[in-house]
Amino acid sequence: MKQIDFLQLAAQLQSSGQAPAVIPASLKPLNITARKETTHHLRDGEVVLYLRSDSKVWQMRYKLSDRQWHCVSTRQRRLDWAMRVAGEHYDRARFREEEGLPQKTRRFDAVARECCKALEQEIERGIRRETNKDYIRTINKYLVPFFGKFMLTNITIERVREYEQWRNEQMGRVPISSTLATHASAYSRVVDYAIEQGWLSDRVAIPKLNRKGKKGSARPGFSREELVKLMAFMPDWSRGGERKNHREMRLLLRDYVEVLLGTGCRSGRESMAMQWRHLEWHVDAKTGQRYLRIWVSGKTGGRWLIAKNWAIEVFTRLAVRQGIGADLDQAIEAKSEAWVFATSGGVRPNSLHTSFELLLADADMRVDPTTGKNRSLYSLRHSYATMSLMDGQMDMHTLAKQMGTSIGMLEQHYSKMTATMAADRLA
């Protein structure tokens, strides 16, 4: 193109005050600043409306103080409506930014799914296995079916009360306090996870679930006299049995019962997962006294516990019968990965609950006369806590550490007993 073309065009524009009716074909390729009809800028360029090549719905993108583009659909086909929607959305986004609120939130079920994945990862790492399983079960069975379709920010106190009534109807009863605590904690885990991921601001007041319910009934246990009777009954009983495997199970059950009574360990996973390498001697630096220390991992994670001195004989029997060592010292030094609670052939039973029920039936001790309830292996842990507090051997804090529970849980079940124990100091 010749330079005269530019001069002629400039003169034409100056004389007419408007664009020429026909633009020379040679100038069209140079019109690079012409804005496409599919793109419009608003709010000083902070908001852009645009059409995709495969859609007639206007999209918008905008920038906030983070200087990052945020994209969203206006869901409008008309340009004037899309402009209005874009402006309103941008204003709301600016307001949320100034108030410290997240730009995006999620439905309860979406957050709950991700939260459950995080809980499953904790379980794989051995963190609060049983507790986290209870949370996952509660989330999937109760929380998601009711709250799933709601956005977290739309959960109101009225909706929470509706949930509590619905849950009680589903359960067919009014839950006790411990059950409500599990539901409330599971709900809080979902909310806390949303905050951690930036899907919910900690400034947003999300109503909590009620933790107050009717008190649970007394747990079945053993009195001191009943424990003496049981301990005296087991030696002869454990040597009975018609078959070899029956005799093996009886011997193992006797040792298992005595270890639970001598440690306060939980029956089931926490105790049955015990290996010989988890045992070690702990020597008091001041007195030189040696104590048996055991590492266990269960409902609340891992912890060390101290066994009663008389329980050392029980572990010695187990070690000798399994061929781990001639005495407990050798068994500890071996650092074996063999199961502690196993038969002489190293076989670990899946459960000892049924065998314990047979033992109690033979000893005529199946039912706790105080509560009228059937006793179980958990009754041994309950009795350990009761006797420890009654004898004044431990304070609440030490007992909670030993048993892997909270002081609040101990106070909930044993507060009346501890007040009676201190009668001589209170009177």
Side-chain angles (χ1 to χ4, degrees):
M1 178 180 178
K2 298 180 180 180
Q3 186 175 4
I4 188 63
D5 293 331
F6 289 101
L7 297 177
Q8 291 175 349
L9 179 61
Q12 183 180 358
L13 291 174
Q14 185 174 8
S15 61
S16 63
Q18 58 183 3
V22 179
I23 299 178
S26 57
L27 289 181
K28 290 182 179 180
L30 299 178
N31 192 16
I32 59 176
T33 60
R35 183 166 297 165
K36 295 181 180 180
E37 295 182 356
T38 56
T39 304
H40 297 272
H41 290 73
L42 309 174
R43 304 296 178 88
D44 297 326
E46 297 295 322
V47 180
V48 179
L49 276 175
Y50 62 96
L51 284 175
R52 293 174 179 164
S53 59
D54 59 347
S55 175
K56 295 183 179 180
V57 176
W58 287 97
Q59 310 294 319
M60 68 172 290
R61 61 176 181 264
Y62 57 93
K63 285 184 178 180
L64 299 173
S65 59
D66 59 5
R67 308 314 298 164
Q68 300 293 322
W69 285 112
H70 301 265
C71 301
V72 66
S73 172
T74 67
R75 300 183 180 180
Q76 302 296 328
R77 294 174 180 266
R78 284 181 48 174
L79 178 59
D80 54 343
W81 289 359
M83 286 182 172
R84 184 178 66 180
V85 170
E88 292 174 351
H89 185 92
Y90 179 68
D91 291 339
R92 287 194 298 269
R94 288 287 303 275
F95 173 79
R96 297 181 70 85
E97 182 183 48
E98 292 173 358
E99 294 297 318
L101 303 176
Q103 294 299 322
K104 294 182 179 180
T105 186
R106 293 196 176 189
R107 286 189 4 168
F108 188 94
D109 54 359
V111 179
R113 282 194 297 269
E114 297 301 320
C115 180
C116 286
K117 291 179 182 178
L119 293 174
E120 289 170 352
Q121 291 175 358
E122 290 186 8
I123 293 173
E124 292 176 358
R125 297 197 301 270
I127 301 174
R128 300 167 62 88
R129 286 193 182 98
E130 299 304 320
T131 300
N132 285 334
K133 286 181 179 179
D134 289 341
Y135 290 164
I136 293 174
R137 190 179 305 112
T138 300
I139 290 171
N140 291 329
K141 187 174 182 180
Y142 294 101
L143 298 179
V144 169
F146 186 89
F147 291 116
K149 64 181 180 180
F150 297 114
M151 305 298 286
L152 286 170
T153 51
N154 292 339
I155 297 178
T156 61
I157 187 65
E158 291 78 13
R159 196 151 283 152
V160 166
R161 297 296 171 257
E162 292 174 3
Y163 163 76
E164 292 173 340
Q165 181 178 355
W166 172 84
R167 177 201 57 208
N168 295 352
E169 293 173 354
Q170 294 294 310
M171 299 179 71
R173 58 184 172 83
V174 177
I176 61 176
S177 296
S178 59
T179 301
L180 292 181
T182 299
H183 282 237
S185 297
Y187 174 83
S188 295
R189 284 299 298 263
V190 176
V191 174
D192 292 343
Y193 186 82
I195 294 174
E196 292 173 4
Q197 299 300 317
W199 301 329
L200 182 68
S201 172
D202 55 5
R203 299 184 185 183
V204 177
I206 302 295
K208 298 181 179 180
L209 298 187
N210 184 23
R211 292 174 177 264
K212 296 181 180 179
K214 67 177 184 179
K215 294 183 178 180
S217 56
R219 294 171 173 174
F222 295 90
S223 66
R224 191 183 304 276
E225 293 74 17
E226 288 172 328
L227 287 177
V228 171
K229 175 185 175 182
L230 180 63
M231 296 286 278
F233 178 81
M234 285 194 296
D236 289 340
W237 180 86
S238 64
R239 289 189 288 269
E242 298 178 357
R243 301 177 182 177
K244 180 181 178 181
N245 63 320
H246 292 170
R247 291 190 291 272
E248 286 270 6
M249 290 299 293
R250 288 192 175 201
L251 290 170
L252 180 59
L253 178 63
R254 176 198 173 188
D255 295 335
Y256 188 62
V257 168
E258 293 185 4
V259 168
L260 294 184
L261 284 172
T263 61
C265 187
R266 291 181 176 88
S267 60
R269 177 189 294 272
E270 184 171 282
S271 51
M272 295 301 289
M274 193 184 301
Q275 298 175 343
W276 288 105
R277 64 188 177 92
H278 295 148
L279 278 65
E280 65 177 41
W281 293 112
H282 169 70
V283 180
D284 190 298
K286 295 181 179 179
T287 64
Q289 178 68 38
R290 189 171 71 164
Y291 302 97
L292 179 60
R293 188 167 75 159
I294 308 169
W295 175 259
V296 295
S297 181
K299 185 176 181 179
T300 56
R303 73 184 187 282
W304 287 104
L305 55 79
I306 302 295
K308 299 285 187 183
N309 289 327
W310 56 261
I312 294 175
E313 179 184 346
V314 183
F315 284 102
T316 301
R317 287 201 307 260
L318 284 163
V320 172
R321 192 163 64 244
Q322 295 179 26
I324 301 298
D327 53 30
L328 188 55
D329 286 325
Q330 290 186 8
I332 291 176
E333 290 174 1
K335 297 294 181 182
S336 172
E337 294 186 358
W339 305 113
V340 171
F341 296 110
T343 63
S344 59
V347 178
R348 183 184 65 164
N350 293 327
S351 172
L352 289 169
H353 286 280
T354 302
S355 298
F356 185 65
E357 291 176 359
L358 295 175
L359 165 63
L360 294 182
D362 290 345
D364 194 23
M365 301 178 70
R366 184 76 175 94
V367 178
D368 177 8
T370 303
T371 63
K373 296 180 179 179
N374 288 338
R375 293 179 171 120
S376 66
L377 282 170
Y378 188 86
S379 301
L380 301 173
R381 177 175 163 87
H382 175 63
S383 299
Y384 174 88
T386 302
M387 298 305 151
S388 297
L389 292 173
M390 287 182 63
D391 294 343
Q393 299 173 357
M394 301 183 207
D395 55 63
M396 282 279 192
H397 179 77
T398 303
L399 184 60
K401 291 290 186 182
Q402 169 78 359
M403 298 184 68
T405 188
S406 65
I407 296 177
M409 187 63 69
L410 290 177
E411 289 178 340
Q412 178 180 342
H413 294 285
Y414 305 105
S415 57
K416 292 183 179 179
M417 187 184 66
T418 53
T420 303
M421 287 160 34
D424 59 333
R425 298 192 297 273
L426 296 173

